[in-house]
Amino acid sequence: MQPLATLLQIYRQDPQPIYLQLAAQLTDLIRKGILRPEYRLPSTRALASGLAIHRKTVIQAYDELIAQGWLQTQVGNGTFVSRHLPELTPRPLVNSDVFDPAKQAGFSFQSTPHLDRPPLKAQARYHLDDGFPDARLAPVLDLSRAYRSQVLASNPYVRLGYNDPSGSRWLREELAAYLNATRGLRAEPENILIVRGTMMGVYLASTALLQPGDAVAIEEYSWSGARMNFLQAGAQLISVPVDAYGIDVDALERICQQRPLRMLYVTSHHQYPTTVPLRADRRMRLLALAQTYKFIVFEDDYDYDFHYESKPLFPLASADLGGMVLYSGSFTKTISPAFRVGYLVGPENVIQHLTKLRRVIDRQGDTLLENAMAELLHTGVIQRHIRKSLRIYRQRRDLFCDALQTELGSVVDFRKPEGGMSVWTRFDSSINLVRLAEKALQKELYLSNGTAHESVFRKENVARLGFASSTEEELMQCIRILKSVI
């Protein structure tokens, strides 16, 4: 009894019940081979006395371990470690400074450096971010009412049960009507797969449609989230130059002539990160190349709704007559990154194929949220929110660009973006962007240090400065801080 009592410790301040603490510690002693099969445990009364706890607590612990098969009882003879457990040799003590199983696995696995991407967290008071929406403008009251109505609606077995892995039928119907009216698509609900966001859409497409070694063309400057997904799928990435009119289609054609191309990832409306739109003649040639060389076009239209100088350009998918384009969009940039609702639009057989994979990794989306979003589309709430946000973001863009030119024109170079929610800004070569971002953060201003946008061919002192998520007063303060740091 006495040696066993010294191996057991009771923590009365621990939120875990004492009987579970005792059961866990006894199990650990059995696993380590300290308590061997057929070892006779002290009586419940003796162990309770030795640990200064109630006897019923020990009975609970023993009963728990008997039910799990760790212990067994012999009538009139006591409680023993189960004889059916394998014989274990006590392991020597391991220096916890050398090996901690909570921090380091005992098995090996291959590291994936291409997945090293720090999470985005809103911490600083002021921010010139990557181009996020202002969540303060989001129609949260309308959304909360719509969500609540879905929770309390009749027939909870249907509303709260399993749903179609391709997404809420209602949302797909509303989205089809909305996308057809605003983007010139010809989509039916069967052409739409609801996803958690563009990241999931790229993952599904790269996993289901690519084989290891397939060639994937991406823009020279491109979104790191897409890049990491293609690398994870084992693709070979080929960078295509980008200029003031978008992706260089001549360079793309030369690539196609040299080797088979499986997929092209492109941000045609507002090129990421430079924000430039793809010129009309290049759009036509790109679609013609896709049909000629039979490569998939993954069109990421991440912030279509926010175009200021004219009406938004119709996406490539609107003119796709060969079934070569997968069109991706999301409400992340429209409303808020917290609302994880996006969509993929494509040929029906491809959507069915991607749905099967989506079911494996994520049985279905958030049906309640999807139906709530469908209601907001049906009632026009989202459309009104977009019109309001478009007006506000245009004003913020104009003010920010004017202040940027006036206060920092001698050290920055940029072109006023026709659309989007950020300004692609080139800093004077004398400015260390990494150090600048660090010093700005010390003054409660977050901005990109530019490393995420370095080209594989060349390195330029450039960064995206997002203006949409800040008020005009906040933007002016950002400029003041930036100027003082520089």
Side-chain angles (χ1 to χ4, degrees), residues 401-423:
C401 287
D402 289 346
L404 196 61
Q405 182 62 47
T406 301
E407 301 296 329
L408 297 171
S410 60
V411 292
V412 299
D413 182 37
F414 65 93
R415 188 173 71 173
K416 194 175 189 179
E418 296 180 26
M421 295 184 278
S422 65
V423 179

Side-chain angles (χ1 to χ4, degrees), residues 169-418:
R169 175 76 186 189
W170 186 16
L171 178 56
R172 287 185 288 126
E173 289 174 347
E174 293 295 335
L175 263 177
Y178 174 71
L179 296 175
N180 293 345
T182 59
R183 290 153 171 78
L185 302 187
R186 296 173 297 279
E188 299 292 336
E190 290 73 23
N191 298 119
I192 299 176
L193 169 62
I194 304 300
V195 291
R196 299 273 185 185
T198 301
M199 183 71 85
M200 177 184 265
V202 177
Y203 174 82
L204 293 175
S206 58
T207 304
L209 302 176
L210 298 178
Q211 296 294 326
D214 280 348
V216 174
I218 60 173
E219 295 156 308
E220 180 181 3
Y221 288 109
S222 192
W223 179 44
S224 60
R227 183 185 295 269
M228 65 167 45
N229 270 291
F230 297 136
L231 291 174
Q232 182 67 17
Q236 295 183 10
L237 298 187
I238 304 174
S239 293
V240 186
V242 173
D243 59 24
Y245 305 105
I247 190 170
D248 185 339
V249 183
D250 290 331
L252 178 63
E253 184 172 13
R254 289 192 293 271
I255 291 170
C256 293
Q257 292 169 347
Q258 293 170 4
R259 62 175 301 178
L261 187 65
R262 176 58 174 167
M263 182 182 289
L264 166 70
Y265 172 82
V266 63
T267 47
S268 60
H269 196 217
H270 302 137
Q271 198 279 329
Y272 184 93
T274 67
T275 75
V276 299
L278 184 61
R279 203 169 59 186
D281 61 316
R282 295 191 181 188
R283 290 167 174 264
M284 295 172 63
R285 283 194 58 203
L286 193 155
L287 288 174
L289 288 176
Q291 285 192 260
T292 300
Y293 293 98
K294 300 301 179 184
F295 59 81
I296 304 163
V297 177
F298 190 102
E299 183 178 17
D300 181 357
D301 206 353
Y302 58 97
D303 59 1
Y304 174 88
D305 295 295
F306 303 116
H307 198 75
Y308 312 114
E309 298 306 321
S310 60
K311 289 186 177 180
L313 303 173
F314 276 175
L316 296 170
S318 67
D320 176 29
L321 301 179
M324 306 305 296
V325 179
L326 277 177
Y327 179 74
S328 173
S330 171
F331 289 105
T332 293
K333 293 292 192 295
T334 305
I335 300 178
S336 168
F339 300 125
R340 306 306 302 167
V341 179
Y343 47 86
L344 276 178
V345 184
E348 185 175 333
N349 63 336
V350 175
I351 295 301
Q352 291 173 352
H353 180 58
L354 298 182
T355 299
K356 294 175 185 177
L357 176 60
R358 188 259 165 81
R359 186 172 185 172
V360 173
I361 63 170
D362 186 18
R363 171 59 179 77
Q364 66 189 56
D366 185 339
T367 305
L368 296 176
L369 178 58
E370 290 174 12
N371 282 333
M373 296 296 288
E375 182 176 327
L376 297 191
L377 278 171
H378 182 74
T379 57
V381 169
I382 289 180
Q383 294 87 326
R384 291 192 293 274
H385 165 71
I386 290 172
R387 290 194 294 270
K388 173 185 174 182
S389 299
L390 180 66
R391 183 180 67 256
I392 293 174
Y393 294 163
R394 181 190 288 114
Q395 293 171 350
R396 293 178 180 179
R397 179 204 62 166
D398 293 344
L399 177 137
F400 181 67
C401 287
D402 289 346
L404 196 61
Q405 182 62 47
T406 301
E407 301 296 329
L408 297 171
S410 60
V411 292
V412 299
D413 182 37
F414 65 93
R415 188 173 71 173
K416 194 175 189 179
E418 296 180 26

Side-chain angles (χ1 to χ4, degrees), residues 70-142:
W70 294 101
L71 304 180
Q72 62 185 51
T73 59
Q74 296 179 10
V75 178
N77 199 20
T79 303
F80 299 80
V81 176
S82 176
R83 67 168 61 93
H84 303 294
L85 296 175
E87 185 77 25
L88 298 172
T89 302
R91 291 177 294 178
L93 293 176
V94 178
N95 187 342
S96 60
D97 294 333
V98 177
F99 179 77
D100 182 353
K103 295 182 178 179
Q104 184 176 351
F107 55 87
S108 62
F109 57 92
Q110 187 174 359
S111 62
T112 50
H114 60 269
L115 297 182
D116 293 339
R117 185 170 179 249
L120 296 173
K121 296 181 180 179
Q123 296 176 332
R125 181 178 180 184
Y126 301 102
H127 38 81
L128 296 174
D129 51 44
D130 195 51
F132 302 149
D134 190 343
R136 292 167 292 191
L137 302 178
V140 290
L141 292 179
D142 295 290

